[in-house]
Amino acid sequence: MTLLDEMPELLLLLDRPQHRPNRRYSVASALSHHTSVHSAGSLASIDQPPEKLPASKTYRPLSPHVLALLMPASVFGVLARIGIQALVGYDGHSIFPLAWAQFMGCLVMGFGLGIRDSLGQFYGPLYTALTTGFCGSLTTFSGWQLDVFQSWLNVNSDHRDWFRDVIDGVTKTVFTLALSLSAVQLGSYFAKFVVRWIPRQILPPPNRTIRYTLSALAVLVYAAAYPAYFRLPASFRHQATAALLFSFPGTLTRYLLSLSLNPLFAPFPLGTFTANLFGTALLGMFHVIQGLPSPHSVSPNACAVLQGLADGYCGCLTTVSTFAVEVLTLPEEKSLLYVVLSWVGAQLLLLVILGPSYWAGNVSEQLTCSFAQ
């Protein structure tokens, strides 16, 4: 048989579709390779301790060690956010203060994802504490959305027309989104550089005694927030100590929503979506109560608790860091849909909750409740 006689068979082989196995990327690999994930399980793993490790190094998502380390991570995340906003919130600032907190949280988030396997080899709960706990508490979706909504209304009564109000809201939207996405990518790049030059395992994994000691210390760090609230001066409550009390409950709510809802739809992070919108709605309601005029205004203690719920519970319940990672790793059309649904949904919730109260004149756009001095 000549080559000409074999040509029809060769052409048939070339035309036959080649069945290549679909490569499933983890979230960290998807960031590194600039590709997307299509598995709900892969997307849901962002908040969970590293898997595919030896049994001795694998921790269940609801392991006591994982939950314990979320406590101080939430506390330090809130403290970092409040501190950054106080540091950069000077008169005449060029960038709105919350943007710096979003940037730092997303930068650390990208770095944490890049060293996920290394943290898993050492002590898996540290990964969840760093990403879900610290970064999720340092960044806040609800605070971002409230900032944007207040720009539409020009609550600071700046000398500008309605067109500049729109520009201000659009600027905060686009700038925060672009900054957060870029920070995650930058953190991931830093992690690749660090992992390349640092030995795979510098320290041995902690033994049983050290693990339980770390968990006990973690619980004590969060427990210390309670005497701090009552023992420190009352003027500290609205500034920080009230937020520390509600930090871990907010993080825990987001974590449980992520574990239960994110794996349901592929690939749409329903848990993060629910947490962000629910937290935004709560923040709007707390803002309404804090804006009640006299004689309906709340007491200084109640006002401090409301501020703690806003900064602590809502701030930790909602997250931009996980949101940014999900946007980067979702398929393009799903990513755009996720962003639009999240942003429009949050703005509509604030419109329904805050709008009627403001425009009816029953609630001031500025906070009217007084804090203890």
Side-chain angles (χ1 to χ4, degrees), residues 308-361:
L309 286 167
D311 293 336
Y313 186 78
C314 295
C316 294
L317 171 60
T318 64
T319 176
V320 168
S321 56
T322 303
F323 172 77
V325 173
E326 292 164 344
V327 170
L328 285 170
T329 53
L330 281 169
E332 288 185 5
E333 63 281 0
K334 299 289 181 62
S335 175
L336 180 60
L337 177 65
Y338 181 41
V339 171
V340 171
L341 287 178
S342 297
W343 188 90
V344 173
Q347 290 299 304
L348 287 177
L349 283 172
L350 291 175
L351 177 63
V352 170
I353 295 170
L354 293 175
S357 301
Y358 287 165
W359 298 323

Side-chain angles (χ1 to χ4, degrees), residues 25 27-36 185 188 192 328-329 332:
Y25 287 98
V27 172
S29 299
L31 278 176
S32 177
H33 291 86
H34 303 284
T35 186
S36 57
Q185 293 280 27
S188 177
K192 288 170 60 177
L328 285 170
T329 53
E332 288 185 5

Side-chain angles (χ1 to χ4, degrees), residues 95-229:
I95 301 175
F96 49 100
L98 190 57
W100 287 102
Q102 314 284 35
F103 172 78
M104 293 302 300
C106 290
L107 182 72
V108 177
M109 184 73 174
F111 184 83
L113 281 168
I115 61 172
R116 188 173 193 263
D117 293 337
S118 299
L119 287 176
Q121 292 291 337
F122 177 64
Y123 188 43
L126 284 178
Y127 166 79
T128 308
L130 179 65
T131 55
T132 305
F134 180 77
C135 297
S137 302
L138 175 54
T139 61
T140 169
F141 183 89
S142 57
W144 170 36
Q145 292 301 309
L146 182 60
D147 252 7
V148 172
F149 187 80
Q150 290 180 328
S151 292
W152 309 132
L153 302 181
N154 190 12
V155 296
N156 294 325
S157 301
D158 296 319
H159 297 288
R160 65 192 190 202
D161 56 20
W162 67 269
F163 183 67
R164 270 68 180 187
D165 295 340
V166 173
I167 291 178
D168 191 43
V170 171
T171 299
K172 289 182 177 179
T173 296
V174 175
F175 186 79
T176 299
L177 186 60
L179 190 69
S180 302
L181 298 179
S182 302
V184 170
Q185 293 280 27
L186 184 61
S188 177
Y189 173 79
F190 285 157
K192 288 170 60 177
F193 179 80
V194 169
V195 169
R196 185 183 306 168
W197 292 102
I198 292 181
R200 179 170 291 272
Q201 189 166 333
I202 300 177
L203 299 173
N207 57 35
R208 180 185 178 90
T209 302
I210 295 177
R211 293 197 302 270
Y212 277 92
T213 301
L214 284 174
S215 297
L217 289 175
V219 174
L220 289 175
V221 168
Y222 175 65
Y226 287 86
Y229 179 82

